[in-house]
Amino acid sequence: MRTDELRYDGQVALVTGAGRGLGREHALLLASRGCKVIVNDPGIAYDGSGHATRKVADEVVDEIIDHGGEAIANYDSVEDGDVLVRAALDAFGRIDIVLNNAGIVTPETWSELTLESWRKTIDINLTGVFSVMKAVWPILVAQQYGRCVVTASPAIYGAGVAAYAASKAGVIGIANSLQFEAKKLKLDIKCNII
């Protein structure tokens, strides 16, 4: 089967960071192929600062619904993975796909980087993936099926943003470890990195 023919009818996807950029495109594509989507995005700035002045998740949900799809918006932090997974289950009764795309990037160079900025980046980009996957993993194992994707970055090879690069290297380790466990348990769970 060609990838442009893949369908996800009856499946449910949680897409974090789905209000803009790559996450938005993931959500729209999955919905166009029949998937029900939880569009997660608190709508904060790219560096994790501020408060949402508009709900970017709502805009994506509106677009999905306008095109005949099913979706709900969620504004919780990925640090509260159990809350996100519960929202998916409450709305659609199941979860099949998790796209861990949420992330922030703080602009400090190494000499400017503070511990506070380091922690904020790691908390969202790395611990957020841990939190979401820790919450959803028992569900995927019980149903013996799931698809997980984490968004990494070429920044791991050096881009002057150490906290971001470290967090993205960490998500690669999480995905590889989960894939190892799924294979060991002989489950149809795939964990991929983009």
Side-chain angles (χ1 to χ4, degrees):
M1 175 179 284
R2 297 175 3 182
T3 57
D4 62 346
E5 297 172 346
L6 288 175
R7 298 286 306 169
Y8 305 97
D9 300 292
Q11 294 192 348
V12 175
L14 167 62
V15 184
T16 69
R20 296 175 279 216
L22 189 57
R24 177 182 182 278
E25 297 306 314
H26 289 316
L28 294 174
L29 177 63
L30 286 165
S32 75
R33 303 277 179 94
C35 197
K36 299 171 186 173
V37 183
I38 294 84
V39 178
N40 165 260
D41 200 309
I44 57 178
Y46 287 109
D47 66 357
S49 65
H51 299 284
T53 56
R54 62 189 175 107
K55 299 290 188 184
V56 291
D58 291 319
E59 295 171 7
V60 177
V61 168
D62 289 346
E63 189 171 344
I64 289 170
I65 291 171
D66 287 348
H67 287 92
E70 291 184 63
I72 63 161
N74 176 278
Y75 322 105
D76 295 301
S77 170
V78 290
E79 295 171 279
D80 299 317
D82 54 335
V83 175
L84 275 68
V85 170
R86 175 52 47 203
L89 295 175
D90 288 348
F92 299 119
R94 63 178 298 118
I95 188 164
D96 304 282
I97 302 165
V98 180
L99 280 145
N100 294 283
N101 181 69
I104 62 170
V105 60
T106 52
E108 297 94 346
T109 61
W110 184 256
S111 59
E112 300 166 336
L113 184 61
T114 64
L115 183 57
E116 178 186 1
S117 185
W118 170 272
R119 286 181 174 152
K120 182 167 66 169
T121 303
I122 296 296
D123 285 349
I124 298 298
N125 298 6
L126 181 58
T127 306
V129 172
F130 164 81
S131 180
V132 170
M133 292 310 300
K134 189 71 175 169
V136 79
W137 191 253
I139 295 164
L140 303 182
V141 169
Q143 65 194 24
Q144 299 184 34
Y145 175 85
R147 298 295 183 259
C148 311
V149 176
V150 299
T151 302
S153 170
I156 65 171
Y157 301 110
V161 283
Y164 182 77
S167 69
K168 292 303 181 177
V171 300
I172 293 170
I174 289 174
N176 286 331
S177 295
L178 290 174
Q179 186 61 70
F180 177 83
E181 287 196 29
K183 187 179 277 189
K184 184 173 72 173
L185 296 171
K186 296 182 172 38
L187 302 173
D188 187 15
I189 299 174
K190 308 290 185 219
C191 297
N192 293 291
I193 305 153
I194 57 170

